[in-house]
Amino acid sequence: MAGEKILIIEDEVKIARFIELELQYEGYAVERQHDGRGGLERALSGEFDLVILDVMLPSLNGMEVLRRFRQSSETPVIMLTAKDEVTDKVMGLDIGADDYITKPFAIEELLARIRTALKRKKASPHNTALITVGDLQVNPDQHSVNFRNEPVELTKKEYDLLKYMAENRNVVLTREKILETVWGYDYYGDTNVVDVYIRYLRSKIDDRYNVKLIHTVRGVGYILKHE
Ligand code: CA
């Protein structure tokens, strides 16, 4: 893993310094930024393989940094928060954080999450082929979705979920499998989040265009198919 570059955006200098030392010990190249604006600017340089981003930051909060960063970058982001705020967690993941860790945390846990995020980044193929399911088109290259050539506006997580289902069209996907792949870790072990996002997708596609693409397989999960 040596040599991968990690940016830490954290205003509490002691914590930032602590993480920096641990990461350097693991062989990562590390840079620290202590406010939102400076951090965003450095993150956007494209030099980093991963960003660790605190939520509570001066000048520009972590959510806003993430939102702006995601407009032009897919680099993995792990968010840090002072308390286990479920709303922060959901919001961060929805804006496009790859993972979330609550302070205080064990450094081993952060290291494990960094390794997972970097591995996922490497594994995510440059699969840019257009995926078509009936009138639905998912364009990974442009991160866009069309239905009957009309753009469908989706949040980052809605897109990730739909793309995953489209890649596995005509295959029954269990809630657990969806959770693991799209959310990437045990989301409180609670698959309800999958049901919630399925509802979002249905309202934006099935309901809006009066079609049936997302099917429930009772007691198991979901399947995306065109009938
Ligand atoms: Ca802070």
Side-chain angles (χ1 to χ4, degrees):
M1 282 285 165
E4 280 160 311
K5 276 190 91 172
I6 298 179
L7 175 66
I8 302 166
I9 310 175
E10 161 66 277
D11 58 316
E12 285 160 86
V13 178
K14 267 165 78 176
I15 295 177
R17 180 79 186 127
F18 166 69
I19 299 172
E20 178 184 47
L21 288 172
E22 293 288 340
L23 294 184
Q24 285 172 339
Y25 182 75
E26 294 293 316
Y28 297 108
V30 185
E31 181 176 319
R32 278 184 282 143
Q33 287 288 326
H34 300 134
D35 71 275
R37 274 183 206 287
L40 176 63
E41 194 175 304
R42 288 301 294 139
L44 287 171
S45 71
E47 291 172 34
F48 300 94
D49 297 297
L50 183 138
V51 178
I52 296 170
L53 175 63
D54 189 34
V55 173
M56 300 290 284
L57 286 171
S59 86
L60 200 62
N61 75 53
M63 291 296 174
E64 191 54 25
V65 171
L66 178 64
R67 200 184 61 75
R68 296 190 193 182
F69 186 51
R70 275 289 171 261
Q71 289 172 356
S72 63
S73 176
E74 289 285 294
T75 298
V77 174
I78 296 176
M79 298 206 76
L80 303 178
T81 186
K83 48 188 167 33
D84 201 355
E85 280 285 346
V86 177
T87 48
D88 275 2
K89 183 169 172 174
V90 170
M91 192 174 157
L93 293 171
D94 205 39
I95 299 174
D98 295 78
D99 208 341
Y100 214 98
I101 196 162
T102 305
K103 288 191 250 179
F105 51 85
I107 192 69
E108 292 76 19
E109 192 184 353
L110 178 62
L111 291 172
R113 285 169 188 236
I114 289 170
R115 283 192 295 271
T116 303
L118 288 171
K119 214 188 297 166
R120 206 182 308 137
K121 181 195 175 204
K122 274 193 195 135
S124 76
H126 273 86
N127 185 4
T128 55
L130 200 65
I131 308 164
T132 303
V133 185
D135 291 325
L136 179 76
Q137 282 195 324
V138 179
N139 187 344
D141 214 9
Q142 296 178 0
H143 229 261
S144 66
V145 172
N146 287 292
F147 196 90
R148 289 177 196 142
N149 297 322
E150 203 178 289
V152 180
E153 296 291 330
L154 299 179
T155 65
K156 169 84 167 56
K157 274 294 159 206
E158 289 167 358
Y159 171 83
D160 289 347
L161 173 59
L162 184 66
K163 176 168 168 272
Y164 174 60
M165 294 184 80
E167 284 168 342
N168 294 281
R169 58 200 170 279
N170 306 321
V171 176
V172 177
L173 301 167
T174 65
R175 288 178 177 80
E176 290 75 17
K177 182 72 189 153
I178 293 172
L179 189 69
E180 191 188 312
T181 309
V182 178
W183 277 266
Y185 67 102
D186 194 357
Y187 193 92
Y188 290 153
D190 185 357
T191 56
N192 285 339
V193 69
V194 175
D195 303 322
V196 170
Y197 275 82
I198 289 283
R199 276 207 295 281
Y200 294 159
L201 284 181
R202 277 184 170 145
S203 81
K204 289 184 175 183
I205 299 168
D206 291 38
D207 299 348
R208 179 163 159 210
Y209 297 100
N210 196 25
V211 290
K212 191 136 182 65
L213 279 175
I214 301 167
H215 303 257
T216 303
V217 181
R218 209 163 290 282
V220 183
Y222 298 99
I223 181 169
L224 183 74
K225 62 176 180 181
H226 171 61
E227 288 181 325

